[in-house]
Amino acid sequence: MVVCGDDGLAHRLAAELRGVYREQVTLVVPPSGRRVRQPVVGRARAASAALRDMVNAAVNRTGNSDATGGTGSTGGTGGTGRELEATEPTEDVLADAGVERATALALVYDDDETNIRAALTARRLNPRLQLVLRLYNRRLGQHIEELLDQSAALASGGGPGSGSGSTTVLSDADTAAPALAATALVGTSKVVETDGLLLRAVERNPPRPGEVADPGLCTLALLSATSNDPAGADGSEDSGENGPQLLPDAAAVEAATGRGTVALEQVSYSGPPLPAGRAGVPAFGELFSRRLRWSLAGLAACVVALAVALMVVTGDHPLHATYVTLLDLFSINEPAHNADIGRQILQLLSGFVGLLLLPVLLAAVLEALGTFRSASTLRKPPRGLGGHVVLLGLGKIGTRVLTRLREMDIPVVCVEADPEARGMATARRLRVPVVLGDVTQEGVLEAAKIHRAHSLLALTSVDTTNLEAVLYARSVRSRLRVVLRLYDDDFATAVYRTLRAAHPRALTRSRSVTHLAAPSFAGAMMGRQILGAIPVERRVLLFAAVEVAGHPQLEGKTVGEAFRAGAWRVLALEVSDGERAAGADSPSEGARESRLVWELPDTYVLRGSDRVVLAATRRGLAELLGRRARRGVDV
């Protein structure tokens, strides 16, 4: 495996491949003086270093000096690796990293152009290479994925089944955004969404005596026994027996008392869609205020009344009477000094109404111009706004989170210091209020109505800024729900525990984007389709779509026999339209829209032609889908 990057995601991904999948990894990073920031990934890096030391010690004891004997030599004993320093992933650098002999290559530079250029070079060097790209531009990513797959198929001299390499385009922002946005929801739910499939993991409190907890589709995890203890071990990846238990069996769920659970639910979005078309053009009803609309309606009623009165007095045709009234209204008709008294009175009244109409028309023009101008600029938070989410930072992550929150129809107020930030255009398009200013300065959070907010999402790229904003917000409102993005895992855990101890009645969550995104990138490098990841405290649960064929742990076994507690669990079966799983109660259980059958009976036998959606831990997915398991079947 070859990993190329310039930030913490590259180091976290390399540690994931070494420590979990036990793969030999070559890491290509810029020289120390040119890195964006120091790659500190806490326990993940320490774990990979410890694992590497153990492997080297074992090699020294056996007298085997071939530490670079390829992926086959390291498949059974654990992962080793090396690190190269290079400014850019040029052809010579990729060749030195061994791309021609590699199984997979991950390009996770922060710049899309750098990743695309290196991917084109790597595909030419090795058409059978499994490519994983980090691209922020999703539309461009789809085209690049198709182009690279087609190039690999042609270079291999065949079609998709010729053994050519595949390409997977991922975004750390898209991977982390659902978990970050879902934390702002009531119930602290986690969401995974892909190809029309929407899953929500909901944290539920322990059931009261006599109550039966609703397991939903299934119980994904048992929360820490110390989750309500400010001094407990909640928030650690290795929490021991009192820590979270992923994918427990029925006996463990029944035996657990006083512990919350994480249940899986399938939901569909029913809120309003995003604005389509030209979002900068407001609706007609929004051009004018209610008072101005009532004024215009009153003047129109006066004109109609005057036209009807003129028709009664003079006996004119209704259209002619209306025409004469409008001429009198705009003072362009001849004086009626030779007409009867009734006509003269009506002309005077029409002139008076015309005087009233002029300021109303001027106000309408000015108000319409102001509305169009405000539609193209940033909106300010309304005066009576409350129960909203304050989002700090409109970078890559903040922009994706903002879009998610808008899709769920959650009111948001953004705070950004840079008027040229990446997400400013998105905020204008979605007509979201934005406060321009440094969040560390006094008065900025107050302008965002932090004292009436429901939660605070601190997603800037500076850890100290996020921490300072959270601490100040907590001083304003002690029970405010806060979620802060922190770069270093150890620092995130320490901040989480301290804030929870200081404010035990308020919800606090610390999230590392690399921690949330690395499992999906690592799973994609193993050649599998990772649907998403859901954090359970400081651990991660992965969702993957897997072909049953070639996996002895699944093929030929029932759903009940294929379930392994703490490792993996089959959740759904993908079927064609009109097809249903054997043993289902009715043909209607095969959902035609999603083509997924949920709540499979434990007696259903998994066939080689089946494709299933399963939940797995990182180590469980490595054991089930690792290349070591596939070698014994494929070779």
Side-chain angles (χ1 to χ4, degrees), residues 28 205 427 441 472 485 526 529 541 620:
V28 180
N205 295 324
Q441 299 296 323
Y472 181 76
R485 169 194 176 188
M526 302 302 295
Q529 182 183 3
L541 196 62

Side-chain angles (χ1 to χ4, degrees), residues 99-151:
V99 169
E100 298 93 338
R101 305 179 306 275
T103 302
L105 167 66
L107 298 167
V108 293
Y109 290 94
D110 192 54
D111 180 47
D112 287 0
E113 182 180 351
T114 302
N115 293 328
I116 294 174
R117 187 187 303 113
L120 296 174
T121 303
R123 179 59 76 207
R124 178 167 49 83
L125 295 176
N126 187 354
R128 299 178 181 273
L129 187 67
Q130 175 77 22
L131 274 177
V132 179
L133 275 71
R134 172 190 184 184
L135 295 182
Y136 180 79
N137 191 328
R138 289 177 287 187
R139 180 175 299 179
L140 176 61
Q142 294 176 357
H143 297 306
I144 292 297
E145 186 173 339
E146 296 174 0
L147 175 64
L148 292 175
D149 285 345
Q150 184 178 3
S151 174

Side-chain angles (χ1 to χ4, degrees), residues 296 298-307 310 321-334 343 345-361:
L296 291 173
L299 290 176
C302 292
V303 173
V304 172
L306 289 173
L310 183 61
T322 304
Y323 173 70
V324 173
T325 301
L326 291 176
L327 292 178
D328 294 336
L329 189 70
F330 295 109
S331 301
I332 57 178
N333 197 10
E334 294 183 359
R343 173 72 181 88
I345 294 176
L346 290 177
Q347 190 177 54
L348 291 176
L349 291 176
S350 298
F352 179 72
V353 173
L355 293 176
L356 297 178
L357 180 62
L358 289 178
V360 174
L361 291 178

Side-chain angles (χ1 to χ4, degrees), residues 3-69:
V3 178
C4 303
D6 57 358
D7 59 5
L9 179 58
H11 291 265
R12 163 65 79 166
L13 178 56
E16 188 85 12
L17 293 171
R18 292 168 181 166
V20 178
Y21 294 93
R22 297 187 179 182
E23 292 291 339
Q24 180 179 354
V25 182
T26 297
L27 179 62
V28 180
V29 293
S32 301
R34 302 192 61 176
R35 293 174 186 171
V36 177
R37 60 195 308 179
Q38 292 299 324
V40 180
V41 292
R43 288 180 303 276
R45 190 178 182 185
S48 64
L51 181 60
R52 183 170 62 252
D53 293 341
M54 287 192 302
V55 173
N56 293 335
V59 171
N60 293 332
R61 285 196 302 268
T62 57
N64 182 10
S65 60
D66 186 11
T68 59

Side-chain angles (χ1 to χ4, degrees), residues 3 20 166 219 223 234 246 388 414 419 479 501 593:
V3 178
V20 178
S166 62
T219 299
L223 298 178
D234 183 20
L246 303 183
H388 57 287
C414 300
R479 295 194 179 186
E593 294 184 358

